[in-house]
Amino acid sequence: MAHILQIHARAIKLGRAEDSFLWNSMIRALARTEAPEQALHLFDEMLQRASFPPDKFTFPFALSACARLRALDEGSQLHSLALRSGLASDPVLQNALIHMYAQSGCLHSAQQVFDRNPMRDVVSWNSLIGGYLRQELVDEASQLFSAMPHQRTAFSWNVMISGCTRAGRPELVLLLIRHLDPEFNWSDSAIPLTSLIKMYAESWEVDAARQVFDCIRERDVVCWSAMISGYVRCGRHVEGLRLFRDMLRDAELVKPDEVMMVSVVSACAHLGALDQGRWVHAFIRKNMPSMRFEDELACALIDMYSKCGSVEDALVVLNEMSVMDIMVWNSIICGLGINGRGKDALRYFEEMLESGITPDGVTFVGILNACSHAGLLVEGQRCFQLMTSYAIEPDIKHYGCMIDLLGRAGLVDEATTLVRSMPMKPNVEIWGALLGACRRHGNVTIAEWAARNLIELDPDHSSCHVLLSNVYAAAGQWDKARDVRKMMRAKGVERVPGCSLIESKGSVYEFVVGDVSHPRAEEIYSKLQEMIELLKMANHVSDTSQVLFNVEEEEKEAALGYHSEKLALALGLIDTSPRDTIRIVKNLRVCGDCHSAMKLVSLIYDRDIILRDRHRFHHFKEGSCSCVDYW
């Protein structure tokens, strides 16, 4: 392209351009470059040479440059000139005018040119529809789309799909499909189905995306990646991993790309599936040797290993990197923090500063969280004050970290003072952190204040009601605890059920409290009973303070005995060898009884247990936990 431009420019400079062809070629080429304004400069020069007037080809090329520049004034002048030249009725020029006006946001003029054009084709319709969609006028666009008399091309559908997705109206596409062709055949259509998969997945309509996916005969890597990423995006990580394995088995010619592998690694992270994560990492090394473990993929691997409780593997990925940007530093600092290794997180934070990398807001969220989980009060306060040195104003997340840090340290009054002095209005997370501190330290008065504000912001916040009930129950105020439960039922507020995941022999199993759905339930409950008997022999006393019922202690102990994490632990003891670490992921905060029980189980069975709950990791070994009971 550059060589051709040089030849044409030399010919024009020497006056050897004997007709409009070279001028048009130059204008067209310049309109496609990173500096389309040069095409308009050349058009002006062409006008100054009367021997070479613009023709019906020149105007569309120049208008293309105006469209890219959103140069409405210049485009209007070209329109006037074309009218005076008697060329404006040319169909190609008409389409260029519609496109220019639509791209420049002047829909009124675009519609006028469109309405006056007697020879509208599919390009005319696509240009006008695209203009309406760019301004998120999806209803107007859909009316035009429905009225198109021409065969809708893949490009037409792409314009409609992407526009509706941006506007948050994905359902409109399906309505159009059903309206335009009630007996629509997914497998024989001009509709770009991969784009449709992406649209549904990004709008959390993953089942609709799968319906489209199953109808595609020839699936390329983009198609597979869109569906796998869709599952992961919507939290259906097991299905995402299963589809990835199906692809490797059934589509041998399809080679995964980095986008797909980031989604697959993220699925392993959310499931806490370390074995599968390691297998995926090894697969990338073996089958995709040219893929660089940098940037997003490296961050995904560090995040995956951290969320699976294997910080050592995360550090291996880190040490193999040649270049470390802010995203990578943030990943390792956050990973160390959630695993309770606050001092290590601080050390890497210092290394990052020494390397010349300037921290950002995410960095400070990570380091403050690390200090909070490790009980590093002084260090956390120092880091909070350090933010201003880097011209970072603390936002709501940083204040949330500090309130959590103070609350965990038992400084509930100081945390309350910070809430009152914040420069912004507290949100759900702020009140939740303060309420959590009150639960840990039994401050009923402040708990009631925090709960009132939290319920006012989010009336259906189930965790708020549960935490407040816990505070009342711990204080022996059973009537108030019962009133909170009644209020939950009256408002229709449903408590989020606790569930625990465990990876065993290449599969991921999910348990809820009292779960009997596992095909080996009888064996699991037998092992659980064995655990309970051994715990009693080791003088374990069940922590019933958080059971929200004023019933006999024996009934409370029975309620605690079948928590989901204990069922997952029983399966782990059955299915893993004595040398294997048992890894469990829970969607809620682990209860006090399960925490103390797991400490003893790690000693009795001589097993390492890693539990990831909603807030942090607990590494149980030889009767102790990495959190040092600071959680």
Side-chain angles (χ1 to χ4, degrees):
M1 174 67 75
H3 180 62
I4 294 173
L5 286 174
Q6 290 174 359
I7 293 174
H8 287 190
R10 190 178 299 116
I12 291 172
K13 186 177 180 180
L14 295 175
R16 295 174 183 171
E18 298 177 356
D19 54 32
S20 300
F21 175 76
L22 284 180
W23 291 93
N24 290 343
S25 299
M26 280 290 290
I27 292 170
R28 180 184 185 185
L30 288 170
R32 295 177 175 179
T33 66
E34 295 299 317
E37 64 275 6
Q38 296 298 322
L40 299 181
H41 295 328
L42 190 60
F43 182 87
D44 287 339
E45 186 178 342
M46 185 179 185
L47 289 177
Q48 293 171 12
R49 299 195 184 189
S51 56
F52 300 111
D55 56 24
K56 66 178 184 178
F57 300 106
T58 318
F59 281 102
F61 300 152
L63 287 168
S64 174
C66 293
R68 292 190 61 198
L69 293 166
R70 309 290 194 270
L72 180 60
D73 290 342
E74 290 80 355
S76 298
Q77 292 173 18
L78 285 173
H79 189 181
S80 298
L81 184 60
L83 287 170
R84 292 198 300 270
S85 303
L87 300 172
S89 61
D90 180 77
V92 176
L93 199 152
Q94 289 277 302
N95 285 341
L97 285 168
I98 295 169
H99 178 67
M100 183 275 296
Y101 281 125
Q103 284 286 107
S104 302
C106 188
L107 291 177
H108 176 71
S109 296
Q111 185 73 58
Q112 279 189 328
V113 176
F114 179 86
D115 292 339
R116 294 170 182 171
N117 183 6
M119 294 179 286
R120 295 190 290 261
D121 58 16
V122 68
V123 177
S124 315
W125 290 87
N126 287 345
S127 296
L128 188 59
I129 290 169
Y132 278 108
L133 288 171
R134 267 185 291 277
Q135 296 192 30
E136 297 193 357
L137 299 172
V138 290
D139 292 322
E140 292 83 348
S142 65
Q143 290 173 9
L144 276 170
F145 193 82
S146 299
M148 282 181 70
H150 304 280
Q151 181 66 37
R152 296 166 186 84
T153 64
F155 182 80
S156 307
W157 281 103
N158 251 328
V159 170
M160 201 66 205
I161 290 170
S162 60
C164 289
T165 303
R166 284 195 307 272
R169 297 281 302 279
E171 76 286 348
L172 196 56
V173 175
L174 189 56
L175 288 174
L176 284 169
I177 292 171
R178 290 170 177 167
H179 170 68
L180 297 174
D181 187 355
E183 299 180 359
F184 183 77
N185 183 2
W186 292 105
S187 59
D188 185 21
S189 169
I191 294 181
L193 300 184
T194 298
S195 296
L196 201 57
I197 291 171
K198 290 181 179 178
M199 181 202 70
Y200 280 126
E202 289 174 2
S203 304
W204 294 74
E205 297 285 346
V206 70
D207 290 324
R210 184 58 190 258
Q211 178 188 356
V212 179
F213 177 84
D214 289 339
C215 294
I216 299 178
R217 295 170 182 168
E218 300 295 331
R219 301 171 184 146
D220 58 13
V221 64
V222 179
C223 178
W224 283 97
S225 184
M227 193 65 242
I228 292 169
S229 300
Y231 273 130
V232 175
R233 177 187 177 87
C234 296
R236 292 165 62 168
H237 306 106
V238 173
E239 291 163 283
L241 287 177
R242 185 182 300 127
L243 188 62
F244 175 67
R245 290 183 178 274
D246 290 345
M247 186 199 75
L248 296 180
R249 182 186 64 248
D250 301 333
E252 297 179 357
L253 298 179
V254 176
K255 301 300 180 184
D257 59 11
E258 184 173 351
V259 174
M260 182 188 296
M261 298 317 299
V262 167
S263 295
V264 171
V265 171
S266 297
C268 296
H270 284 280
L271 294 170
L274 180 63
D275 290 343
Q276 293 192 50
R278 283 175 171 162
W279 178 85
V280 170
H281 192 179
F283 173 86
I284 296 171
R285 289 184 183 279
K286 179 180 179 181
N287 298 283
M288 308 168 72
S290 61
M291 185 173 292
R292 296 167 57 247
F293 287 93
E294 306 286 351
D295 303 328
E296 191 172 2
L297 182 58
C299 290
L301 286 167
I302 292 171
D303 180 66
M304 182 271 293
Y305 282 125
S306 298
K307 287 182 176 176
C308 291
S310 183
V311 177
E312 291 71 21
D313 284 321
L315 292 173
V316 168
V317 176
L318 183 77
N319 294 330
E320 290 179 349
M321 299 186 64
S322 56
V323 179
M324 292 168 58
D325 61 13
I326 186 66
M327 290 176 57
V328 176
W329 284 107
N330 287 347
S331 295
I332 196 63
I333 289 170
C334 292
L336 289 166
I338 61 174
N339 279 276
R341 294 174 59 167
K343 291 184 178 179
D344 289 332
L346 284 168
R347 180 167 58 83
Y348 275 93
F349 177 62
E350 295 295 337
E351 284 187 21
M352 184 191 78
L353 297 180
E354 292 173 2
S355 70
I357 299 292
T358 301
D360 59 13
V362 177
T363 313
F364 280 101
V365 169
I367 200 64
L368 290 173
N369 263 325
C371 292
S372 179
H373 288 312
L376 302 174
L377 177 62
V378 175
E379 292 84 347
Q381 291 173 323
R382 179 181 63 84
C383 289
F384 187 72
Q385 294 170 355
L386 185 63
M387 292 179 65
T388 55
S389 300
Y390 293 96
I392 299 174
E393 286 294 324
D395 62 21
I396 198 80
K397 292 182 180 179
H398 302 111
Y399 279 101
C401 293
M402 283 304 298
I403 291 161
D404 189 58
L405 174 62
L406 293 167
R408 288 176 186 272
L411 303 175
V412 179
D413 290 336
E414 287 83 346
T416 303
T417 300
L418 185 58
V419 171
R420 295 183 187 276
S421 64
M422 285 170 49
M424 69 283 292
K425 187 176 180 180
N427 63 3
V428 169
E429 285 71 28
I430 296 294
W431 293 119
L434 186 59
L435 185 55
C438 294
R439 179 197 57 78
R440 281 187 291 272
H441 301 288
N443 194 316
V444 177
T445 303
I446 296 178
E448 291 175 331
W449 174 63
R452 282 196 303 271
N453 283 280
L454 182 49
I455 292 172
E456 184 179 335
L457 287 175
D458 186 0
D460 298 327
H461 198 290
S462 61
S463 297
C464 168
H465 295 83
V466 173
L467 281 172
L468 184 58
S469 296
N470 284 343
V471 172
Y472 286 139
Q477 299 181 20
W478 295 105
D479 289 342
K480 289 188 176 181
R482 193 176 298 111
D483 289 342
V484 173
R485 294 198 303 276
K486 287 180 179 178
M487 183 172 61
M488 288 180 68
R489 287 193 293 270
K491 291 183 175 181
V493 178
E494 296 184 2
R495 181 177 180 178
V496 177
C499 67
S500 296
L501 302 174
I502 184 169
E503 183 184 28
S504 178
K505 297 182 177 179
S507 297
V508 177
Y509 298 98
E510 180 178 344
F511 292 92
V512 295
V513 62
D515 201 331
V516 293
S517 62
H518 195 283
R520 296 164 61 191
E522 185 176 344
E523 187 180 357
I524 290 169
Y525 275 89
S526 176
K527 178 59 100 174
L528 181 58
Q529 192 58 43
E530 174 191 295
M531 282 169 46
I532 292 171
E533 294 299 325
L534 290 173
L535 285 169
K536 287 181 178 178
M537 292 173 61
N539 298 319
H540 170 67
V541 178
S542 296
D543 178 6
T544 60
S545 62
Q546 301 301 323
V547 179
L548 303 181
F549 303 96
N550 188 14
V551 297
E552 296 298 327
E553 288 298 310
E554 185 176 344
E555 294 178 66
K556 291 183 181 181
E557 290 180 14
L560 293 168
Y562 304 119
H563 277 190
S564 62
E565 55 265 55
K566 288 178 180 171
L567 294 172
L569 177 59
L571 177 62
L573 290 171
I574 294 170
D575 271 3
T576 59
S577 66
R579 294 182 179 180
D580 292 337
T581 299
I582 299 173
R583 301 173 188 274
I584 301 169
V585 177
K586 185 173 182 179
N587 66 327
L588 302 177
R589 179 182 180 274
V590 62
C591 78
D593 182 70
C594 288
H595 187 270
S596 59
M598 287 194 178
K599 286 197 297 183
L600 268 178
V601 168
S602 71
L603 179 64
I604 294 169
Y605 287 89
D606 190 23
R607 300 295 298 273
D608 287 359
I609 305 167
I610 296 180
L611 170 67
R612 184 180 101 205
D613 71 7
R614 185 175 181 176
H615 297 290
R616 63 167 300 153
F617 273 87
H618 300 271
H619 297 242
F620 302 98
K621 184 175 184 179
E622 298 176 353
S624 299
C625 180
S626 59
C627 74
V628 199
D629 295 338
Y630 185 82
W631 56 289

